[in-house]
Each structure stands twice: as structure tokens, then as C-alpha cells.
């Protein structure tokens, strides 16, 4: 019998998985960029990012750029490690047979 | 299975999407149109050909930022991508210098040869178009934008036709400029329609 893997539930949720995937491949991105690329609403992004921030996976920085508010998100080292671990787990299970 | 390929593809898609606004195309297209038009209709004012690109180069990045960031958002690419961009900038600059030196060498060979170099004299009208086609190919690799290869093809074909007809060197630039301006305008209109500015977060 194969033991079910212990996925990181925080990353396993589809919207957060998409957000973390996008942040994993860049250094940082703002709310507008993530909203455009993921199709998630403002409320969704905000609530998911708050949870990821509480877990220490992302940093959230609010600033004003040219009179416009900008919220910038970036993965922390801990977030990158957690995402890498999650990715290895998933590809370990779903990866194509060699 | 390559475990990074899916994420590489995601990063590549994001990068391509970040350059889908058409502003760089419009910059290239109008520059070629302007240089080509001067060369065709006002060759005595050839010095003016550099004015538009010279004005547009410093305004391009701030303009793009003004248009793209409220609509497409801000992103800082990862270190691997930025290193790749820097390497390509240097490669483009180096290639530009080499092409320029080759052009000077070709000119000197032609000018100093008693019999003249027939081949160089014959391809001279299309030479600039060929060089710019080469630049477009470089931009295509840099931006991962395959349409740049079409622009390069338009320039190269225009260059060949100009050589065959022994026409003025401005024509291939003017023709390619029209193609690129039309493409860039269509891209920008599509981008603005699909991505309205986000006023609040």
C-alpha cells in the first residue's frame, strides 16, 4: 500500500498554487500583474496572499508609484523551499514513467 | 521528465505576455518609416533620419511604463532572466559594432579598389535593410517574439528586391516600416481593449 503524501495544504489549494507558481518564476510582481496572469479577483488575491504571508511564504509591500498604490508580492526563501518541496512531491507522484 | 520544463514554460509565457503591447513594434516601425521616407524623398536632409529614433529611444521606456504598468502590472524578472537579457544586450551591441566595422571595411575596399568591387556596389542599396534584418532577428531572440522574424524577413525581402531593381535604399525600410506600424497598431489596440487600466487594488 502506498502512503498518501503529506502535501502542504497551504500550497495545495488551486488559487494559491497558481499564485505561488507565478511568484516562483519571477523575483517579484505586483497585484495587477498577478491579477492579469491568473484571472483571480482582487479579493481572492488579497485573502490568499494574507494567508501565505502569515505562513511566512510571501512578503507584501505596499507603496505609491506615480500617485498610484502598488502592492508588490515576492516569495520568501521559506516560500521557495516549500514550493520546491511541494513540486517534487507532485512530480514524484504524477511524473511520467521513465 | 524534466521537472523544470513546466515552470520554464510558465516563465516564458509571462515574459512574452509582458511584451505583447506592440509599443516596441510601433517604435521600430515609425523609425523605419521616417528613415526610409527621408532617404527616398529628402536625401539631402539625410542627417534628419536619426532625429526620430534619437528622440524616441529615451522616451520609449517611460512611455511603455506609463501605458503598460497600470494595465499589465509590474514585474521584476528572476536573476536568470535578467542575466540572459544582459548577455543579449551585450551580444546585440557587439554584433552592431562588428556589422558597422564590416560596413566601413566594405566601403574602404570599394573606394580604394581601382576596378571597384562589383558585388559590394550592387548590394549597397539593400545593405542597410540586411543589417536591420539582422537586428530584428536579435530582437526576436531577446523578446522571444517570433513576429520579429517576420519583420526581419520583410526587411530582407525588401533589401533583395531593392538590390535586384537597383532602387533607393530607403524603399525596403519604408515598406517594412508600414508592415511593422500596422502590426504594432493592431497589437496596441488589442492590448488596450483587453487590458483596461486598473484604478484601485
Amino acid at each position: 500500500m502506498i502512503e498518501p503524501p503529506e502535501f502542504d495544504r497551504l500550497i495545495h489549494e488551486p488559487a494559491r498554487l497558481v499564485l505561488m507558481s507565478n511568484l516562483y518564476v519571477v523575483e517579484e510582481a505586483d497585484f495587477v500583474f498577478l491579477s492579469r496572469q491568473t484571472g483571480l479577483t482582487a479579493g481572492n488575491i488579497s485573502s490568499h496572499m494574507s494567508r501565505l504571508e502569515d505562513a511566512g511564504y510571501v512578503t507584501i509591500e505596499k507603496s505609491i508609484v506615480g500617485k498610484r498604490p502598488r502592492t508588490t508580492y515576492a516569495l520568501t526563501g521559506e516560500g521557495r523551499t516549500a514550493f520546491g518541496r511541494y513540486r517534487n512531491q507532485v512530480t514524484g507522484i504524477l511524473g511520467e514513467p521513465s | 521528465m524534466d521537472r523544470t520544463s513546466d515552470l520554464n514554460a510558465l516563465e516564458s509565457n509571462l515574459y512574452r505576455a509582458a511584451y505583447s503591447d506592440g509599443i516596441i513594434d510601433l517604435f521600430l516601425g515609425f523609425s523605419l518609416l521616417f528613415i526610409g521616407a527621408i532617404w527616398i524623398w529628402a536625401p539631402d536632409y539625410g542627417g534628419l533620419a536619426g532625429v526620430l529614433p534619437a528622440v524616441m529611444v529615451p522616451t520609449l521606456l517611460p512611455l511603455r511604463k506609463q501605458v503598460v504598468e497600470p494595465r499589465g502590472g509590474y514585474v521584476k524578472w528572476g536573476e536568470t532572466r535578467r542575466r540572459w537579457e544582459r548577455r543579449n544586450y551585450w551580444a546585440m551591441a557587439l554584433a552592431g559594432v562588428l556589422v558597422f566595422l564590416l560596413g566601413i571595411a566594405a566601403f574602404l575596399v570599394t573606394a580604394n579598389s581601382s576596378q571597384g568591387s562589383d558585388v559590394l556596389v550592387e548590394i549597397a542599396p539593400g545593405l542597410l535593410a540586411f543589417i536591420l534584418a539582422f537586428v530584428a532577428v536579435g530582437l526576436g531572440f531577446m523578446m522571444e517574439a517570433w513576429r520579429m522574424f517576420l519583420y526581419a524577413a520583410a526587411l530582407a525581402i525588401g533589401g533583395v528586391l531593392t538590390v535586384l531593381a537597383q532602387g533607393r535604399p530607403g524603399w525596403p525600410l519604408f515598406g517594412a516600416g508600414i508592415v511593422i506600424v500596422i502590426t504594432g497598431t493592431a497589437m496596441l489596440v488589442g492590448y488596450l481593449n483587453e487590458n483596461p487600466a486598473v484604478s484601485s487594488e
Side-chain angles (χ1 to χ4, degrees):
Chain A
M1 190 177 94
I2 300 171
E3 285 290 316
E6 283 295 320
F7 283 133
D8 186 333
R9 294 280 165 188
L10 205 60
I11 302 175
H12 198 53
E13 198 282 329
R16 284 194 292 271
L17 178 58
V18 169
L19 287 169
M20 286 198 71
S21 301
N22 275 262
L23 285 178
Y24 189 75
V25 297
V26 302
E27 192 161 308
E28 60 182 30
D30 74 351
F31 162 81
V32 179
F33 183 85
L34 290 174
S35 172
R36 291 282 182 231
Q37 300 303 329
T38 63
L40 293 170
T41 62
N44 258 327
I45 292 177
S46 184
S47 68
H48 288 307
M49 286 300 188
S50 290
R51 291 196 64 179
L52 292 169
E53 184 188 33
D54 291 343
Y57 287 178
V58 301
T59 58
I60 303 176
E61 191 184 308
K62 290 182 182 289
S63 58
I64 301 289
V65 180
K67 295 181 184 172
R68 303 174 73 90
R70 176 192 281 171
T71 308
T72 308
Y73 306 99
L75 281 190
T76 60
E78 193 182 341
R80 284 191 180 274
T81 306
F83 185 83
R85 192 167 49 238
Y86 174 85
R87 188 162 57 98
N88 285 338
Q89 283 180 323
V90 172
T91 50
I93 295 168
L94 301 178
E96 289 180 12
S98 53
Chain B
M1 180 179 148
D2 179 2
R3 291 183 178 184
T4 59
S5 62
D6 48 353
L7 289 171
N8 286 342
L10 172 65
E11 197 266 356
S12 232
N13 287 340
L14 294 177
Y15 190 74
R16 273 199 299 275
Y19 284 107
S20 62
D21 51 84
I23 291 175
I24 290 177
D25 304 65
L26 283 174
F27 161 77
L28 285 174
F30 277 118
S31 296
L32 289 176
L33 265 183
F34 188 71
I35 294 169
I38 293 257
W39 210 324
I40 296 164
W41 291 294
D44 293 342
Y45 299 96
L48 282 176
V51 170
L52 185 68
V55 170
M56 287 175 88
V57 165
T59 55
L60 178 66
L61 287 180
L63 174 75
R64 257 202 99 228
K65 202 172 172 180
Q66 286 281 321
V67 174
V68 172
E69 282 197 1
R71 293 172 171 81
Y74 155 82
V75 59
K76 183 177 181 184
W77 303 106
E79 179 54 32
T80 308
R81 173 65 73 176
R82 282 183 282 142
R83 207 169 36 238
W84 180 83
E85 282 182 329
R86 279 195 298 273
R87 203 172 53 227
N88 279 322
Y89 283 132
W90 280 109
M92 284 270 290
L94 188 64
V97 170
L98 283 174
V99 168
F100 179 70
L101 292 175
L102 277 174
I104 289 179
F107 172 78
L108 290 175
V109 166
T110 310
N112 292 333
S113 167
S114 55
Q115 299 173 328
S117 172
D118 290 345
V119 174
L120 279 176
V121 170
E122 277 178 19
I123 66 165
L127 196 58
L128 188 58
F130 298 140
I131 292 170
L132 290 171
F134 178 76
V135 172
V137 168
L139 274 175
F141 279 117
M142 269 185 67
M143 294 164 60
E144 295 191 6
W146 313 128
R147 64 186 183 277
M148 289 288 164
F149 298 129
L150 290 178
Y151 301 162
L155 279 161
I157 291 168
V160 169
L161 291 176
T162 306
V163 169
L164 291 176
Q166 283 299 295
R168 291 188 179 174
W171 281 112
L173 310 191
F174 193 77
I178 290 173
V179 172
I180 299 171
V181 165
I182 290 171
T183 310
T185 305
M187 286 178 69
L188 183 60
V189 169
Y191 181 82
L192 295 178
N193 285 337
E194 286 169 20
N195 300 284
V198 177
S199 53
S200 63
E201 296 186 359

